[in-house]
Each structure stands twice: as C-alpha cells, then as structure tokens.
Amino acid sequence: MRANSAGPGALKRELRAEQAAARDRLSASEREVMSALACRHAWEWVEQQEAIPFMAYAPFRSELDTRPLLQQAWKGRHEVILPRVVPGTWEMTLHSVCSWEELAPGAYGILEPAAAHEEIRPKEPSLPAAVFVPGLAFDRRGGRLGYGSGYYDRLREAWTQVLPVSAAPPVWIGLGYGMQLVTEVPMDEHDAFMDMLITENGILHCRKGE
C-alpha cells in the first residue's frame, strides 16, 4: 500500500475507486473465463470439505460471476443460501434457493431471493459451512475491501451471538479475480478478515495478522 498520511476511510475510498475502475476494464470474455476457473476451484473445495450448505451471492455488474458455482450445487440438489437486502435497515435476510427462477431484482438492482421466499434464521448448528463473499480488493492476510455498507461484517457479528465457543464457525471465503489481490487492504478495527481467497489462480489460505 502506498505511503499516505490519510486515515483508513480515505484510503478505502481511494482504493475502491481504483479497483472498481480496474475491474470494470476487464472484458466480458475475460470475466467469463476467470469466473469459470475460480468457480471450478471453489466447487472442488466445497466437494472435498463437504461444505454444504454454503452461502454465496448473485453477481452484479463486473463482480466475479458465481453462476457456475451455484449451478454445480443445484445440479447436485444441494442447498444454496442467498441473501436479500432489507431496505433501510443495513441488514440482510437469508433464503434457501434452488434455481435462478427464484430470484428477482432487489433494492440495488441485484438479483436476490424474491419477497415470497421464507427467511432462514441461522442458528448453530444450522449456519452455512462456508460463505463466499464478493469484494473490490483482497490481500494475503484476508483483508477485504467491500462496498462500504458493512452488510457482511454485521451478519458475521450477529452469527457470533448464536455460535457456541466450542463450535466451528463458517469458513469465510473471498471470491474474486486475481487482479483484485493487492499488497494491503486498509482495515478498521471492526472489519473482518477472510479465512481464504479463491481466484482463477487457485486457493489462498490467509495469513492473518502478518
């Protein structure tokens, strides 16, 4: 990360603008190829670890396309959990989804479970085994630069309230393109680190605190 006397907030805004522009410059064909490779790595990991059910996201704009990953899960009749934004609350509800036909454009134009879907209220041991999270930038420590709304951080914190100390928490996985890996993501005290990163180049187990 460049030398800069600005605080984390200013650094995040600058990095968001840079990374969003860089990601948007990828061609549709580049995004398709890299997304397919990353999703292949992700699905192989899911199968090896038996990480079912898992939570993921429906892609938006130039985000890594999760459709190959979701379609593999649905092909095997596995449960996939997708979030739905609750407008005005900065929170997400979770819903079990079995096909793209069950999604509709939500508050930000992002595909999400339609309003008729019954909400899942996760509690241990029913939390997802893994959570695939989008972002604008990631680093090798597991630092993640999101979009600034904190939806995933609040969800993760809420889950800690229902998870016994002895229970294994979900594995949090940043899913993105290799070009989204940066030297260091500026992190605030409340920002959560990813356990793993998956890109078209493979799987990176994060080294937190280094």
Side-chain angles (χ1 to χ4, degrees):
M1 187 171 63
R2 67 183 62 81
N4 197 318
S5 59
L11 292 176
K12 284 183 178 183
R13 287 191 294 273
E14 183 179 353
L15 187 57
R16 278 194 186 99
E18 291 178 359
Q19 288 298 111
R23 196 179 68 182
D24 288 345
R25 284 195 294 269
L26 293 172
S27 68
S29 60
E30 287 175 320
R31 294 198 300 270
E32 181 180 3
V33 169
M34 290 189 287
S35 294
L37 287 171
C39 286
R40 182 188 304 169
H41 295 311
W43 180 247
E44 289 174 353
W45 179 85
V46 166
E47 286 193 306
Q48 290 169 2
Q49 301 297 320
E50 298 182 350
I52 298 292
F54 64 79
M55 176 179 165
Y57 64 92
F60 186 59
R61 294 178 178 167
S62 60
E63 286 180 339
L64 187 139
D65 192 344
T66 56
R67 285 179 294 180
L69 174 61
L70 302 186
Q71 287 166 355
Q72 280 287 348
W74 290 332
K75 182 179 178 181
R77 299 184 181 276
H78 296 304
E79 181 180 7
V80 174
I81 298 170
L82 294 180
R84 183 171 185 267
V85 171
V86 182
T89 68
W90 301 101
E91 295 180 352
M92 297 188 295
T93 56
L94 306 183
H95 307 263
S96 180
V97 176
C98 297
S99 72
W100 290 106
E101 286 69 31
E102 298 176 33
L103 305 181
Y108 301 107
I110 304 170
L111 286 176
E112 59 183 27
H117 260 273
E118 183 178 354
E119 178 184 353
I120 297 173
R121 295 187 180 276
K123 58 183 181 302
E124 200 282 326
S126 66
L127 292 177
V131 183
F132 291 97
V133 184
L136 286 167
F138 304 93
D139 65 30
R140 293 181 179 275
R141 303 172 303 156
R144 169 184 173 266
L145 182 69
Y147 301 100
S149 299
Y151 285 106
Y152 287 97
D153 289 329
R154 279 188 290 275
L155 179 65
R156 190 169 183 173
E157 176 60 27
W159 284 355
T160 64
Q161 307 303 318
V162 300
L163 190 68
V165 175
S166 60
V171 179
W172 287 76
I173 305 170
L175 196 56
Y177 308 113
M179 52 76 64
Q180 293 181 268
L181 189 63
V182 300
T183 301
E184 184 178 350
V185 171
M187 299 285 284
D188 290 310
E189 185 177 348
H190 65 273
D191 291 334
F193 286 82
M194 300 290 101
D195 300 306
M196 293 168 48
L197 302 176
I198 299 181
T199 73
E200 73 277 8
N201 300 318
I203 295 174
L204 174 65
H205 294 274
C206 300
R207 303 191 298 271
K208 298 178 184 177
E210 294 188 7

